Amino acid sequence: MQNTLTILDRLCAFDTTSHKSNLECVEYCRRLLASAGFDVTIRPNGDGTKANLHAVAGPKEKPGLVLAGHTDVVPVKGQDWSSNPFKLTQKDGKLFARGAVDMKGFLAAALSLTTALDLRALGRPLHLVLTYDEETGCFGARDISDYLRKVIPANSLCIVGEPTDMRPIVSHKGILGLRATVEGSEGHAATIATKSNAIHFASELVQYLLGKSQYYSARSSKNTYVTPYSTLQVGLINGGQARNMIAKRCELEFEFRHLPEDSSDVFLAELDAFVISDLLPKLTENQKNASIQIETLSHVPAFMAAENSACLRVLKEHLGPVDTGCWDGVTEAGYYLDTGVDTIVCGPGSISQAHQPNEYITVRALEGCEAFLARLSSVVVARCA
C-alpha cells in the first residue's frame, strides 16, 4: 500500500488541469513503467504540448488485459479548499487532492501493480493506457484509438478505472457538443421588416431543440440512469450589440446527451433537415447572404458493454456479488469498445467526490482496488481469452 500512496502523492503533485500540459506527469509514468520492464510508447498531440502513453508487457500478440485512465483533472479555481489541492493530504482515512479520486487513485494502484509483477511469467499481456484531455471531451482517447486498434489484439479485456465504488458500469450516455452560428443583417431596429435578426432565428432553433427534448423525454430507458432518457440543453447564447440595433450575428452552444439507443447521427440528420428546409429559407428571405452554420465541438460516443461481456464476467468473479449500473456521465469507454476491446468501467472511490473542493479518496477504497488488481493480474492475465 505504501508504494501506491507514494505514487499517488507524485501524481497529484503534477498540475494536469486540462488546459495545461501533462508531459511531466507522463514522463514520470514512463520512467516508472520502463524501469519495471514495460515497453512504453509516447503519443504526443498535434502541437506536442500533451501526450498519451501506452505500455505493454508480456506476449503482445495475444489478447490481454488493459488498464486505462486519464491523467488530466478539472480546475480548482474558485473552489474553497482546506489544503493545497496539488499536495496529497491524509486525514481521518481520507486522501485529499485534486485528482485523488478522478482518477489518479486508480492510476496509482495500476502503476504500483507493475512493480509487483514478475513480467517474465505473464502468459497474457498487460497493457496500460494513460490519456490526456478526457475532462474536456475525451480527445486523448479519440486520438489514440486508431493506434490502439493496431497494437491491442481483439478480445482483450479493458477496465476504465473511473470512480464507481468498484461497481461495474455497463452503459453510459454519449455527448454531442454543437455550436450554431446565425448570420443575419444589421440595421436600425425600425427597419426590422426588411432585415433578418439573427437572435430571432437563433430563438427558433432553440424552440426546435426544446421540442426534440420533449420527444426524447417521452422515450424513457428501462436501465438505471438517474435521468433515464436522452437530454438536450442550450448552455450559451451570445448575440447582438444594442437594444435598438438589429442583431447581425448570434451564436448558441448546446449539447445532446444521448442514450446508446438514441443515435447521434440520426439527431444530426434531423437537425440538418430542419435548418435547411425550415429555418434557412425564412432567414434568407430578406437577406440573400444570411446564413446558419452548425459545427461539432466535441463528440464522445455512448457506451454499452458487449452482450455476455467476458470482461464483466471476470470482474464479477474477482469482485464478488456486485450489481452493475449505468451512468449519466461519460467516459472514454466507448473509444476502447470501438477498437474491439471488451470494456467495462470500474474503479475505486465515489464519483460524488469528483470535481469538488476537497476532493478525496479513502485509504480503504484504494486498498480494495489494489487487492482487486492483484487478484485480477495474477489470474486474468494468465488466462483471459
Side-chain angles (χ1 to χ4, degrees), residues 124-161:
R124 299 280 180 172
L126 175 62
H127 300 262
L128 277 80
V129 181
L130 281 61
T131 60
Y132 62 83
D133 286 359
E134 185 269 353
E135 297 288 4
T136 56
C138 296
F139 297 112
R142 181 199 65 187
D143 292 346
I144 201 175
S145 58
D146 285 342
Y147 165 82
L148 295 180
R149 194 173 286 110
K150 298 173 184 176
V151 299
I152 299 179
N155 300 318
S156 294
L157 310 183
C158 176
I159 299 172
V160 179

PDB file of all heavy atoms in Angstrom, residues 124-161:
ATOM      1  N   ARG A 124      -0.265 -13.755 -20.620  1.00  0.00           N
ATOM      2  CA  ARG A 124      -1.001 -12.829 -21.464  1.00  0.00           C
ATOM      3  C   ARG A 124      -0.442 -11.432 -21.237  1.00  0.00           C
ATOM      4  O   ARG A 124       0.113 -11.139 -20.175  1.00  0.00           O
ATOM      5  CB  ARG A 124      -2.494 -12.842 -21.119  1.00  0.00           C
ATOM      6  CG  ARG A 124      -3.166 -14.192 -21.324  1.00  0.00           C
ATOM      7  CD  ARG A 124      -3.500 -14.449 -22.767  1.00  0.00           C
ATOM      8  NE  ARG A 124      -4.146 -15.746 -22.948  1.00  0.00           N
ATOM      9  CZ  ARG A 124      -4.685 -16.157 -24.079  1.00  0.00           C
ATOM     10  NH1 ARG A 124      -4.660 -15.362 -25.149  1.00  0.00           N
ATOM     11  NH2 ARG A 124      -5.256 -17.331 -24.160  1.00  0.00           N
ATOM     12  N   PRO A 125      -0.576 -10.529 -22.176  1.00  0.00           N
ATOM     13  CA  PRO A 125      -0.008  -9.194 -21.995  1.00  0.00           C
ATOM     14  C   PRO A 125      -0.834  -8.332 -21.042  1.00  0.00           C
ATOM     15  O   PRO A 125      -2.048  -8.487 -20.921  1.00  0.00           O
ATOM     16  CB  PRO A 125      -0.014  -8.617 -23.406  1.00  0.00           C
ATOM     17  CG  PRO A 125      -1.128  -9.329 -24.102  1.00  0.00           C
ATOM     18  CD  PRO A 125      -1.135 -10.725 -23.534  1.00  0.00           C
ATOM     19  N   LEU A 126      -0.138  -7.435 -20.390  1.00  0.00           N
ATOM     20  CA  LEU A 126      -0.766  -6.409 -19.578  1.00  0.00           C
ATOM     21  C   LEU A 126      -0.469  -5.064 -20.236  1.00  0.00           C
ATOM     22  O   LEU A 126       0.689  -4.716 -20.465  1.00  0.00           O
ATOM     23  CB  LEU A 126      -0.217  -6.423 -18.153  1.00  0.00           C
ATOM     24  CG  LEU A 126      -0.719  -5.315 -17.225  1.00  0.00           C
ATOM     25  CD1 LEU A 126      -2.227  -5.407 -17.028  1.00  0.00           C
ATOM     26  CD2 LEU A 126       0.002  -5.372 -15.880  1.00  0.00           C
ATOM     27  N   HIS A 127      -1.528  -4.319 -20.549  1.00  0.00           N
ATOM     28  CA  HIS A 127      -1.408  -3.003 -21.177  1.00  0.00           C
ATOM     29  C   HIS A 127      -1.848  -1.929 -20.193  1.00  0.00           C
ATOM     30  O   HIS A 127      -2.818  -2.119 -19.449  1.00  0.00           O
ATOM     31  CB  HIS A 127      -2.307  -2.892 -22.413  1.00  0.00           C
ATOM     32  CG  HIS A 127      -2.023  -3.877 -23.495  1.00  0.00           C
ATOM     33  ND1 HIS A 127      -1.262  -3.576 -24.599  1.00  0.00           N
ATOM     34  CD2 HIS A 127      -2.436  -5.163 -23.662  1.00  0.00           C
ATOM     35  CE1 HIS A 127      -1.202  -4.621 -25.406  1.00  0.00           C
ATOM     36  NE2 HIS A 127      -1.908  -5.601 -24.862  1.00  0.00           N
ATOM     37  N   LEU A 128      -1.165  -0.807 -20.201  1.00  0.00           N
ATOM     38  CA  LEU A 128      -1.626   0.384 -19.508  1.00  0.00           C
ATOM     39  C   LEU A 128      -1.750   1.509 -20.525  1.00  0.00           C
ATOM     40  O   LEU A 128      -0.846   1.712 -21.343  1.00  0.00           O
ATOM     41  CB  LEU A 128      -0.664   0.810 -18.397  1.00  0.00           C
ATOM     42  CG  LEU A 128      -0.826   0.082 -17.051  1.00  0.00           C
ATOM     43  CD1 LEU A 128      -0.150  -1.275 -17.106  1.00  0.00           C
ATOM     44  CD2 LEU A 128      -0.264   0.912 -15.906  1.00  0.00           C
ATOM     45  N   VAL A 129      -2.879   2.230 -20.483  1.00  0.00           N
ATOM     46  CA  VAL A 129      -3.111   3.360 -21.385  1.00  0.00           C
ATOM     47  C   VAL A 129      -3.474   4.576 -20.538  1.00  0.00           C
ATOM     48  O   VAL A 129      -4.421   4.533 -19.758  1.00  0.00           O
ATOM     49  CB  VAL A 129      -4.232   3.073 -22.400  1.00  0.00           C
ATOM     50  CG1 VAL A 129      -4.424   4.270 -23.320  1.00  0.00           C
ATOM     51  CG2 VAL A 129      -3.924   1.821 -23.217  1.00  0.00           C
ATOM     52  N   LEU A 130      -2.694   5.638 -20.690  1.00  0.00           N
ATOM     53  CA  LEU A 130      -2.934   6.903 -19.996  1.00  0.00           C
ATOM     54  C   LEU A 130      -3.174   7.976 -21.050  1.00  0.00           C
ATOM     55  O   LEU A 130      -2.392   8.104 -21.996  1.00  0.00           O
ATOM     56  CB  LEU A 130      -1.736   7.295 -19.123  1.00  0.00           C
ATOM     57  CG  LEU A 130      -1.569   6.616 -17.769  1.00  0.00           C
ATOM     58  CD1 LEU A 130      -1.395   5.112 -17.911  1.00  0.00           C
ATOM     59  CD2 LEU A 130      -0.382   7.207 -17.017  1.00  0.00           C
ATOM     60  N   THR A 131      -4.231   8.742 -20.879  1.00  0.00           N
ATOM     61  CA  THR A 131      -4.640   9.701 -21.907  1.00  0.00           C
ATOM     62  C   THR A 131      -4.662  11.137 -21.373  1.00  0.00           C
ATOM     63  O   THR A 131      -4.607  11.380 -20.169  1.00  0.00           O
ATOM     64  CB  THR A 131      -6.035   9.367 -22.443  1.00  0.00           C
ATOM     65  OG1 THR A 131      -6.973   9.423 -21.355  1.00  0.00           O
ATOM     66  CG2 THR A 131      -6.066   7.991 -23.081  1.00  0.00           C
ATOM     67  N   TYR A 132      -4.774  12.076 -22.295  1.00  0.00           N
ATOM     68  CA  TYR A 132      -4.937  13.489 -21.962  1.00  0.00           C
ATOM     69  C   TYR A 132      -6.340  13.957 -22.343  1.00  0.00           C
ATOM     70  O   TYR A 132      -7.040  13.337 -23.143  1.00  0.00           O
ATOM     71  CB  TYR A 132      -3.884  14.353 -22.676  1.00  0.00           C
ATOM     72  CG  TYR A 132      -3.933  14.324 -24.194  1.00  0.00           C
ATOM     73  CD1 TYR A 132      -4.809  15.135 -24.914  1.00  0.00           C
ATOM     74  CD2 TYR A 132      -3.098  13.476 -24.922  1.00  0.00           C
ATOM     75  CE1 TYR A 132      -4.862  15.112 -26.296  1.00  0.00           C
ATOM     76  CE2 TYR A 132      -3.134  13.444 -26.313  1.00  0.00           C
ATOM     77  CZ  TYR A 132      -4.022  14.261 -26.986  1.00  0.00           C
ATOM     78  OH  TYR A 132      -4.065  14.234 -28.361  1.00  0.00           O
ATOM     79  N   ASP A 133      -6.757  15.045 -21.754  1.00  0.00           N
ATOM     80  CA  ASP A 133      -7.975  15.776 -22.126  1.00  0.00           C
ATOM     81  C   ASP A 133      -9.256  14.942 -22.125  1.00  0.00           C
ATOM     82  O   ASP A 133     -10.137  15.147 -22.962  1.00  0.00           O
ATOM     83  CB  ASP A 133      -7.792  16.432 -23.502  1.00  0.00           C
ATOM     84  CG  ASP A 133      -6.876  17.646 -23.447  1.00  0.00           C
ATOM     85  OD1 ASP A 133      -6.406  17.971 -22.347  1.00  0.00           O
ATOM     86  OD2 ASP A 133      -6.627  18.260 -24.496  1.00  0.00           O
ATOM     87  N   GLU A 134      -9.387  14.055 -21.161  1.00  0.00           N
ATOM     88  CA  GLU A 134     -10.665  13.364 -21.007  1.00  0.00           C
ATOM     89  C   GLU A 134     -11.742  14.329 -20.518  1.00  0.00           C
ATOM     90  O   GLU A 134     -12.884  14.291 -20.979  1.00  0.00           O
ATOM     91  CB  GLU A 134     -10.517  12.204 -20.014  1.00  0.00           C
ATOM     92  CG  GLU A 134     -11.766  11.325 -19.873  1.00  0.00           C
ATOM     93  CD  GLU A 134     -12.730  11.777 -18.781  1.00  0.00           C
ATOM     94  OE1 GLU A 134     -12.397  12.709 -18.008  1.00  0.00           O
ATOM     95  OE2 GLU A 134     -13.835  11.210 -18.694  1.00  0.00           O
ATOM     96  N   GLU A 135     -11.356  15.198 -19.595  1.00  0.00           N
ATOM     97  CA  GLU A 135     -12.327  16.079 -18.952  1.00  0.00           C
ATOM     98  C   GLU A 135     -12.946  17.085 -19.911  1.00  0.00           C
ATOM     99  O   GLU A 135     -14.033  17.604 -19.651  1.00  0.00           O
ATOM    100  CB  GLU A 135     -11.675  16.817 -17.780  1.00  0.00           C
ATOM    101  CG  GLU A 135     -11.180  15.914 -16.648  1.00  0.00           C
ATOM    102  CD  GLU A 135     -12.301  15.307 -15.832  1.00  0.00           C
ATOM    103  OE1 GLU A 135     -13.489  15.519 -16.187  1.00  0.00           O
ATOM    104  OE2 GLU A 135     -12.002  14.628 -14.849  1.00  0.00           O
ATOM    105  N   THR A 136     -12.277  17.385 -21.002  1.00  0.00           N
ATOM    106  CA  THR A 136     -12.780  18.398 -21.933  1.00  0.00           C
ATOM    107  C   THR A 136     -13.389  17.799 -23.200  1.00  0.00           C
ATOM    108  O   THR A 136     -13.750  18.540 -24.115  1.00  0.00           O
ATOM    109  CB  THR A 136     -11.649  19.360 -22.329  1.00  0.00           C
ATOM    110  OG1 THR A 136     -10.553  18.612 -22.870  1.00  0.00           O
ATOM    111  CG2 THR A 136     -11.179  20.158 -21.124  1.00  0.00           C
ATOM    112  N   GLY A 137     -13.488  16.477 -23.274  1.00  0.00           N
ATOM    113  CA  GLY A 137     -14.094  15.880 -24.463  1.00  0.00           C
ATOM    114  C   GLY A 137     -13.493  14.560 -24.899  1.00  0.00           C
ATOM    115  O   GLY A 137     -13.749  14.104 -26.022  1.00  0.00           O
ATOM    116  N   CYS A 138     -12.700  13.921 -24.040  1.00  0.00           N
ATOM    117  CA  CYS A 138     -12.089  12.621 -24.363  1.00  0.00           C
ATOM    118  C   CYS A 138     -11.238  12.688 -25.626  1.00  0.00           C
ATOM    119  O   CYS A 138     -11.177  11.726 -26.412  1.00  0.00           O
ATOM    120  CB  CYS A 138     -13.151  11.540 -24.494  1.00  0.00           C
ATOM    121  SG  CYS A 138     -14.059  11.203 -22.964  1.00  0.00           S
ATOM    122  N   PHE A 139     -10.556  13.807 -25.832  1.00  0.00           N
ATOM    123  CA  PHE A 139      -9.789  13.992 -27.060  1.00  0.00           C
ATOM    124  C   PHE A 139      -8.571  13.067 -27.130  1.00  0.00           C
ATOM    125  O   PHE A 139      -8.197  12.606 -28.207  1.00  0.00           O
ATOM    126  CB  PHE A 139      -9.356  15.453 -27.188  1.00  0.00           C
ATOM    127  CG  PHE A 139     -10.508  16.406 -27.302  1.00  0.00           C
ATOM    128  CD1 PHE A 139     -10.777  17.294 -26.279  1.00  0.00           C
ATOM    129  CD2 PHE A 139     -11.328  16.402 -28.415  1.00  0.00           C
ATOM    130  CE1 PHE A 139     -11.848  18.183 -26.369  1.00  0.00           C
ATOM    131  CE2 PHE A 139     -12.396  17.274 -28.522  1.00  0.00           C
ATOM    132  CZ  PHE A 139     -12.656  18.172 -27.494  1.00  0.00           C
ATOM    133  N   GLY A 140      -7.945  12.797 -25.993  1.00  0.00           N
ATOM    134  CA  GLY A 140      -6.795  11.897 -26.000  1.00  0.00           C
ATOM    135  C   GLY A 140      -7.177  10.484 -26.405  1.00  0.00           C
ATOM    136  O   GLY A 140      -6.495   9.857 -27.226  1.00  0.00           O
ATOM    137  N   ALA A 141      -8.263   9.970 -25.860  1.00  0.00           N
ATOM    138  CA  ALA A 141      -8.726   8.628 -26.213  1.00  0.00           C
ATOM    139  C   ALA A 141      -9.113   8.562 -27.688  1.00  0.00           C
ATOM    140  O   ALA A 141      -8.839   7.565 -28.363  1.00  0.00           O
ATOM    141  CB  ALA A 141      -9.908   8.227 -25.334  1.00  0.00           C
ATOM    142  N   ARG A 142      -9.734   9.613 -28.175  1.00  0.00           N
ATOM    143  CA  ARG A 142     -10.080   9.657 -29.600  1.00  0.00           C
ATOM    144  C   ARG A 142      -8.819   9.601 -30.451  1.00  0.00           C
ATOM    145  O   ARG A 142      -8.752   8.862 -31.436  1.00  0.00           O
ATOM    146  CB  ARG A 142     -10.855  10.942 -29.896  1.00  0.00           C
ATOM    147  CG  ARG A 142     -11.295  11.102 -31.337  1.00  0.00           C
ATOM    148  CD  ARG A 142     -11.627  12.545 -31.654  1.00  0.00           C
ATOM    149  NE  ARG A 142     -10.447  13.403 -31.560  1.00  0.00           N
ATOM    150  CZ  ARG A 142     -10.474  14.731 -31.665  1.00  0.00           C
ATOM    151  NH1 ARG A 142     -11.628  15.346 -31.834  1.00  0.00           N
ATOM    152  NH2 ARG A 142      -9.365  15.443 -31.579  1.00  0.00           N
ATOM    153  N   ASP A 143      -7.809  10.377 -30.051  1.00  0.00           N
ATOM    154  CA  ASP A 143      -6.602  10.483 -30.874  1.00  0.00           C
ATOM    155  C   ASP A 143      -5.759   9.211 -30.857  1.00  0.00           C
ATOM    156  O   ASP A 143      -5.025   8.949 -31.813  1.00  0.00           O
ATOM    157  CB  ASP A 143      -5.746  11.665 -30.400  1.00  0.00           C
ATOM    158  CG  ASP A 143      -6.424  13.007 -30.678  1.00  0.00           C
ATOM    159  OD1 ASP A 143      -7.404  13.022 -31.450  1.00  0.00           O
ATOM    160  OD2 ASP A 143      -5.971  14.021 -30.110  1.00  0.00           O
ATOM    161  N   ILE A 144      -5.862   8.419 -29.804  1.00  0.00           N
ATOM    162  CA  ILE A 144      -5.031   7.220 -29.714  1.00  0.00           C
ATOM    163  C   ILE A 144      -5.769   5.962 -30.163  1.00  0.00           C
ATOM    164  O   ILE A 144      -5.185   4.884 -30.261  1.00  0.00           O
ATOM    165  CB  ILE A 144      -4.501   7.032 -28.269  1.00  0.00           C
ATOM    166  CG1 ILE A 144      -3.246   6.132 -28.268  1.00  0.00           C
ATOM    167  CG2 ILE A 144      -5.580   6.476 -27.344  1.00  0.00           C
ATOM    168  CD1 ILE A 144      -2.591   6.003 -26.915  1.00  0.00           C
ATOM    169  N   SER A 145      -7.043   6.071 -30.477  1.00  0.00           N
ATOM    170  CA  SER A 145      -7.853   4.868 -30.737  1.00  0.00           C
ATOM    171  C   SER A 145      -7.365   4.090 -31.959  1.00  0.00           C
ATOM    172  O   SER A 145      -7.333   2.856 -31.944  1.00  0.00           O
ATOM    173  CB  SER A 145      -9.332   5.236 -30.887  1.00  0.00           C
ATOM    174  OG  SER A 145      -9.528   6.168 -31.923  1.00  0.00           O
ATOM    175  N   ASP A 146      -6.998   4.784 -33.040  1.00  0.00           N
ATOM    176  CA  ASP A 146      -6.508   4.073 -34.227  1.00  0.00           C
ATOM    177  C   ASP A 146      -5.222   3.312 -33.915  1.00  0.00           C
ATOM    178  O   ASP A 146      -5.023   2.178 -34.369  1.00  0.00           O
ATOM    179  CB  ASP A 146      -6.267   5.047 -35.379  1.00  0.00           C
ATOM    180  CG  ASP A 146      -7.554   5.523 -36.021  1.00  0.00           C
ATOM    181  OD1 ASP A 146      -8.600   4.864 -35.815  1.00  0.00           O
ATOM    182  OD2 ASP A 146      -7.530   6.548 -36.720  1.00  0.00           O
ATOM    183  N   TYR A 147      -4.336   3.915 -33.146  1.00  0.00           N
ATOM    184  CA  TYR A 147      -3.100   3.254 -32.744  1.00  0.00           C
ATOM    185  C   TYR A 147      -3.399   2.016 -31.894  1.00  0.00           C
ATOM    186  O   TYR A 147      -2.819   0.938 -32.116  1.00  0.00           O
ATOM    187  CB  TYR A 147      -2.224   4.236 -31.962  1.00  0.00           C
ATOM    188  CG  TYR A 147      -1.104   3.592 -31.188  1.00  0.00           C
ATOM    189  CD1 TYR A 147       0.093   3.241 -31.807  1.00  0.00           C
ATOM    190  CD2 TYR A 147      -1.240   3.342 -29.816  1.00  0.00           C
ATOM    191  CE1 TYR A 147       1.121   2.641 -31.088  1.00  0.00           C
ATOM    192  CE2 TYR A 147      -0.217   2.751 -29.101  1.00  0.00           C
ATOM    193  CZ  TYR A 147       0.958   2.402 -29.733  1.00  0.00           C
ATOM    194  OH  TYR A 147       1.970   1.812 -29.020  1.00  0.00           O
ATOM    195  N   LEU A 148      -4.311   2.143 -30.934  1.00  0.00           N
ATOM    196  CA  LEU A 148      -4.639   1.009 -30.064  1.00  0.00           C
ATOM    197  C   LEU A 148      -5.254  -0.137 -30.853  1.00  0.00           C
ATOM    198  O   LEU A 148      -5.044  -1.317 -30.532  1.00  0.00           O
ATOM    199  CB  LEU A 148      -5.583   1.457 -28.953  1.00  0.00           C
ATOM    200  CG  LEU A 148      -5.022   2.466 -27.948  1.00  0.00           C
ATOM    201  CD1 LEU A 148      -6.082   2.815 -26.906  1.00  0.00           C
ATOM    202  CD2 LEU A 148      -3.770   1.930 -27.268  1.00  0.00           C
ATOM    203  N   ARG A 149      -6.013   0.192 -31.869  1.00  0.00           N
ATOM    204  CA  ARG A 149      -6.629  -0.845 -32.706  1.00  0.00           C
ATOM    205  C   ARG A 149      -5.566  -1.729 -33.349  1.00  0.00           C
ATOM    206  O   ARG A 149      -5.788  -2.921 -33.592  1.00  0.00           O
ATOM    207  CB  ARG A 149      -7.513  -0.183 -33.768  1.00  0.00           C
ATOM    208  CG  ARG A 149      -8.467  -1.141 -34.469  1.00  0.00           C
ATOM    209  CD  ARG A 149      -9.419  -0.377 -35.376  1.00  0.00           C
ATOM    210  NE  ARG A 149     -10.434   0.338 -34.620  1.00  0.00           N
ATOM    211  CZ  ARG A 149     -10.507   1.651 -34.493  1.00  0.00           C
ATOM    212  NH1 ARG A 149      -9.581   2.422 -35.073  1.00  0.00           N
ATOM    213  NH2 ARG A 149     -11.464   2.223 -33.794  1.00  0.00           N
ATOM    214  N   LYS A 150      -4.392  -1.164 -33.584  1.00  0.00           N
ATOM    215  CA  LYS A 150      -3.295  -1.907 -34.218  1.00  0.00           C
ATOM    216  C   LYS A 150      -2.457  -2.709 -33.222  1.00  0.00           C
ATOM    217  O   LYS A 150      -1.896  -3.738 -33.580  1.00  0.00           O
ATOM    218  CB  LYS A 150      -2.381  -0.934 -34.968  1.00  0.00           C
ATOM    219  CG  LYS A 150      -3.066  -0.171 -36.092  1.00  0.00           C
ATOM    220  CD  LYS A 150      -2.139   0.891 -36.669  1.00  0.00           C
ATOM    221  CE  LYS A 150      -2.841   1.730 -37.731  1.00  0.00           C
ATOM    222  NZ  LYS A 150      -1.983   2.835 -38.230  1.00  0.00           N
ATOM    223  N   VAL A 151      -2.372  -2.234 -31.980  1.00  0.00           N
ATOM    224  CA  VAL A 151      -1.421  -2.855 -31.045  1.00  0.00           C
ATOM    225  C   VAL A 151      -2.075  -3.680 -29.943  1.00  0.00           C
ATOM    226  O   VAL A 151      -1.375  -4.422 -29.239  1.00  0.00           O
ATOM    227  CB  VAL A 151      -0.507  -1.783 -30.412  1.00  0.00           C
ATOM    228  CG1 VAL A 151       0.300  -1.072 -31.485  1.00  0.00           C
ATOM    229  CG2 VAL A 151      -1.293  -0.800 -29.558  1.00  0.00           C
ATOM    230  N   ILE A 152      -3.387  -3.571 -29.766  1.00  0.00           N
ATOM    231  CA  ILE A 152      -4.076  -4.381 -28.753  1.00  0.00           C
ATOM    232  C   ILE A 152      -4.978  -5.367 -29.459  1.00  0.00           C
ATOM    233  O   ILE A 152      -5.937  -4.984 -30.132  1.00  0.00           O
ATOM    234  CB  ILE A 152      -4.891  -3.506 -27.790  1.00  0.00           C
ATOM    235  CG1 ILE A 152      -3.979  -2.528 -27.044  1.00  0.00           C
ATOM    236  CG2 ILE A 152      -5.660  -4.371 -26.793  1.00  0.00           C
ATOM    237  CD1 ILE A 152      -4.707  -1.605 -26.085  1.00  0.00           C
ATOM    238  N   PRO A 153      -4.691  -6.671 -29.351  1.00  0.00           N
ATOM    239  CA  PRO A 153      -5.491  -7.675 -30.054  1.00  0.00           C
ATOM    240  C   PRO A 153      -6.954  -7.639 -29.643  1.00  0.00           C
ATOM    241  O   PRO A 153      -7.293  -7.332 -28.495  1.00  0.00           O
ATOM    242  CB  PRO A 153      -4.827  -9.000 -29.641  1.00  0.00           C
ATOM    243  CG  PRO A 153      -3.424  -8.625 -29.286  1.00  0.00           C
ATOM    244  CD  PRO A 153      -3.531  -7.265 -28.661  1.00  0.00           C
ATOM    245  N   ALA A 154      -7.812  -7.949 -30.600  1.00  0.00           N
ATOM    246  CA  ALA A 154      -9.247  -8.078 -30.312  1.00  0.00           C
ATOM    247  C   ALA A 154      -9.449  -9.141 -29.240  1.00  0.00           C
ATOM    248  O   ALA A 154      -8.622 -10.036 -29.062  1.00  0.00           O
ATOM    249  CB  ALA A 154     -10.003  -8.442 -31.586  1.00  0.00           C
ATOM    250  N   ASN A 155     -10.552  -9.023 -28.524  1.00  0.00           N
ATOM    251  CA  ASN A 155     -10.906  -9.929 -27.444  1.00  0.00           C
ATOM    252  C   ASN A 155     -10.091  -9.706 -26.177  1.00  0.00           C
ATOM    253  O   ASN A 155     -10.188 -10.488 -25.227  1.00  0.00           O
ATOM    254  CB  ASN A 155     -10.812 -11.403 -27.865  1.00  0.00           C
ATOM    255  CG  ASN A 155     -11.729 -11.743 -29.012  1.00  0.00           C
ATOM    256  OD1 ASN A 155     -12.874 -11.299 -29.048  1.00  0.00           O
ATOM    257  ND2 ASN A 155     -11.224 -12.493 -29.984  1.00  0.00           N
ATOM    258  N   SER A 156      -9.289  -8.661 -26.161  1.00  0.00           N
ATOM    259  CA  SER A 156      -8.664  -8.266 -24.898  1.00  0.00           C
ATOM    260  C   SER A 156      -9.739  -7.700 -23.975  1.00  0.00           C
ATOM    261  O   SER A 156     -10.830  -7.321 -24.410  1.00  0.00           O
ATOM    262  CB  SER A 156      -7.575  -7.220 -25.143  1.00  0.00           C
ATOM    263  OG  SER A 156      -6.488  -7.755 -25.873  1.00  0.00           O
ATOM    264  N   LEU A 157      -9.413  -7.636 -22.691  1.00  0.00           N
ATOM    265  CA  LEU A 157     -10.335  -7.099 -21.700  1.00  0.00           C
ATOM    266  C   LEU A 157      -9.815  -5.758 -21.217  1.00  0.00           C
ATOM    267  O   LEU A 157      -8.618  -5.605 -20.968  1.00  0.00           O
ATOM    268  CB  LEU A 157     -10.470  -8.051 -20.510  1.00  0.00           C
ATOM    269  CG  LEU A 157     -10.751  -9.527 -20.813  1.00  0.00           C
ATOM    270  CD1 LEU A 157     -10.928 -10.307 -19.523  1.00  0.00           C
ATOM    271  CD2 LEU A 157     -11.973  -9.681 -21.712  1.00  0.00           C
ATOM    272  N   CYS A 158     -10.702  -4.784 -21.065  1.00  0.00           N
ATOM    273  CA  CYS A 158     -10.291  -3.429 -20.680  1.00  0.00           C
ATOM    274  C   CYS A 158     -11.106  -2.937 -19.495  1.00  0.00           C
ATOM    275  O   CYS A 158     -12.336  -3.049 -19.489  1.00  0.00           O
ATOM    276  CB  CYS A 158     -10.458  -2.471 -21.857  1.00  0.00           C
ATOM    277  SG  CYS A 158     -10.080  -0.741 -21.465  1.00  0.00           S
ATOM    278  N   ILE A 159     -10.413  -2.392 -18.507  1.00  0.00           N
ATOM    279  CA  ILE A 159     -11.061  -1.737 -17.376  1.00  0.00           C
ATOM    280  C   ILE A 159     -10.705  -0.256 -17.409  1.00  0.00           C
ATOM    281  O   ILE A 159      -9.526   0.106 -17.352  1.00  0.00           O
ATOM    282  CB  ILE A 159     -10.611  -2.340 -16.039  1.00  0.00           C
ATOM    283  CG1 ILE A 159     -10.991  -3.824 -15.974  1.00  0.00           C
ATOM    284  CG2 ILE A 159     -11.241  -1.582 -14.870  1.00  0.00           C
ATOM    285  CD1 ILE A 159     -10.426  -4.540 -14.778  1.00  0.00           C
ATOM    286  N   VAL A 160     -11.718   0.588 -17.539  1.00  0.00           N
ATOM    287  CA  VAL A 160     -11.539   2.030 -17.439  1.00  0.00           C
ATOM    288  C   VAL A 160     -11.828   2.394 -15.986  1.00  0.00           C
ATOM    289  O   VAL A 160     -12.958   2.270 -15.522  1.00  0.00           O
ATOM    290  CB  VAL A 160     -12.480   2.780 -18.395  1.00  0.00           C
ATOM    291  CG1 VAL A 160     -12.294   4.292 -18.259  1.00  0.00           C
ATOM    292  CG2 VAL A 160     -12.231   2.346 -19.839  1.00  0.00           C
ATOM    293  N   GLY A 161     -10.801   2.840 -15.265  1.00  0.00           N
ATOM    294  CA  GLY A 161     -10.885   2.921 -13.812  1.00  0.00           C
ATOM    295  C   GLY A 161     -11.494   4.174 -13.231  1.00  0.00           C
ATOM    296  O   GLY A 161     -10.977   4.727 -12.251  1.00  0.00           O
TER     297      GLY A 161
END
